[in-house]
Amino acid sequence: MSGPSNPDGGTETDETADIENTIDTRRHDVLVVGGGVAGLSAATFTARAGLDTVVVDDGNSIVKRNAHLENVPGFPAGVNSRLFCEMQRGQARRSGSTFVDGRVTGLRRVDDGFRATVDGDDDVGELESRYVVAASWSDTGYLDGLGVDLRVAGSKTYIGDDGLGRTNVEGLYAAGRLTERYHQAVVAAGHGAQTAITLVHDSETPFYNDWVAPEGYFTDRGREVPPGCEEIDEAERRRREAESLETMQTFFAEPHPESQRTHPSLVDE
């Protein structure tokens, strides 16, 4: 399935005045709490499956503390970690996700879903959704009162899940480091995708596989194109490839301007 695209092929910096400021308290299908690697991966998959997805992100993903990210497939010489986050956020947006800059400070049950209290620059206040994906390392305070299975390990708290991202609270999912997965970006991305696909199937959204196939792959064998899949002809494949090259060249045209981050305990107040 191909998500909505930006006709200008713009990067994150081109889109700073995007739909973040138009979010209201209307009900969404999916609320993703946290815009790090796991959360953005989950948002990309739920949005591409056609679920109305909103991400609340305070911009403090710990992957940004990497001096140079060197273990993610597809970047043979590594990649600036802040640029990687920007690219992943752009991909989630391109797939149809919307964003709110801020932090979820409370989450409570409402009829057939959840209502989140949001503290941030955007004048949002509250958001409602049918499903929630918690991907907010290492903050779990907003889950107080929901009865979520938690494991406290020193200064860190982890959410228990069934191995596929489901928590013991119906409609609440968790992804990434928050679920005590390995502390690597590629693992977080994979678990975010797995959790999102679990949610998509649980929502009974028709979905076989997120896959763009060559023209005739299914239909020339007398099969219908499965939900979530798409067939494209050679002209469309070439157009998308050209757009991909242009977009990547734009992202990598200049060094990323954001300064290197470090552990919060080393930052002077």
Side-chain angles (χ1 to χ4, degrees):
M1 181 181 295
S2 177
S5 64
N6 170 18
D8 299 323
T11 67
E12 173 79 10
T13 51
D14 294 327
E15 298 178 355
T16 52
D18 68 354
I19 47 184
E20 277 127 335
N21 293 324
T22 68
I23 297 289
D24 56 29
T25 55
R26 68 188 176 90
R27 188 177 180 84
H28 301 270
D29 294 322
V30 181
L31 165 63
V32 178
V33 183
V37 177
L40 292 175
S41 180
T44 296
F45 273 82
T46 57
R48 283 178 61 85
L51 296 175
D52 179 355
T53 301
V54 59
V55 181
V56 177
D57 176 26
D58 66 1
N60 290 317
S61 171
I62 58 174
V63 76
K64 294 182 180 181
R65 300 177 194 169
N66 278 265
H68 195 64
L69 190 59
E70 297 190 337
N71 53 9
V72 174
F75 298 95
V79 61
N80 180 292
S81 62
R82 278 77 65 204
L83 176 60
F84 178 76
C85 290
E86 184 176 303
M87 294 170 71
Q88 201 185 5
R89 182 174 170 123
Q91 184 178 20
R93 179 186 290 110
R94 181 185 178 91
S95 298
S97 301
T98 55
F99 288 81
V100 170
D101 292 330
R103 179 185 291 267
V104 172
T105 57
L107 188 68
R108 64 186 186 277
R109 278 285 196 184
V110 293
D111 292 341
D112 192 31
F114 301 88
R115 180 175 295 164
T117 302
V118 180
D119 182 16
D121 295 336
D122 295 327
D123 187 18
V124 174
E126 292 186 332
L127 292 170
E128 288 191 6
S129 65
R130 182 180 177 190
Y131 304 102
V132 171
V133 177
S136 50
W137 180 252
S138 58
D139 175 21
T140 59
Y142 62 95
L143 299 172
D144 290 349
L146 289 177
V148 183
D149 284 342
L150 301 174
R151 188 180 86 82
V152 178
S155 63
K156 298 177 175 59
T157 303
Y158 300 100
I159 297 178
D161 78 302
D162 68 348
L164 296 174
R166 300 182 186 92
T167 73
N168 63 306
V169 176
E170 185 176 358
L172 176 65
Y173 298 76
R177 184 64 176 151
L178 193 61
T179 61
E180 212 165 352
R181 294 316 195 266
Y182 289 119
H183 205 2
Q184 297 292 309
V186 66
V187 175
H191 191 241
Q194 180 185 52
T195 297
I197 293 172
T198 299
L199 187 160
V200 170
H201 284 298
D202 288 351
S203 72
E204 299 184 349
T205 299
F207 185 83
Y208 168 70
N209 199 3
D210 190 337
W211 185 20
V212 180
E215 184 179 30
Y217 188 90
F218 296 103
T219 53
D220 284 356
R221 294 183 289 144
R223 294 182 56 188
E224 293 186 0
V225 179
C229 297
E230 179 185 14
E231 286 187 355
I232 61 173
D233 61 21
E234 179 61 13
E236 176 62 12
R237 186 199 68 77
R238 289 181 180 276
R239 187 199 69 77
R240 294 190 189 189
E241 181 180 48
E243 184 180 20
S244 171
L245 291 171
E246 181 182 356
T247 299
M248 294 298 285
Q249 289 167 0
T250 301
F251 272 115
F252 285 95
E254 300 288 344
H256 196 272
E258 186 176 337
S259 60
Q260 173 65 56
R261 300 192 183 186
T262 189
H263 194 279
S265 65
L266 301 175
V267 178
D268 294 331
E269 296 294 341

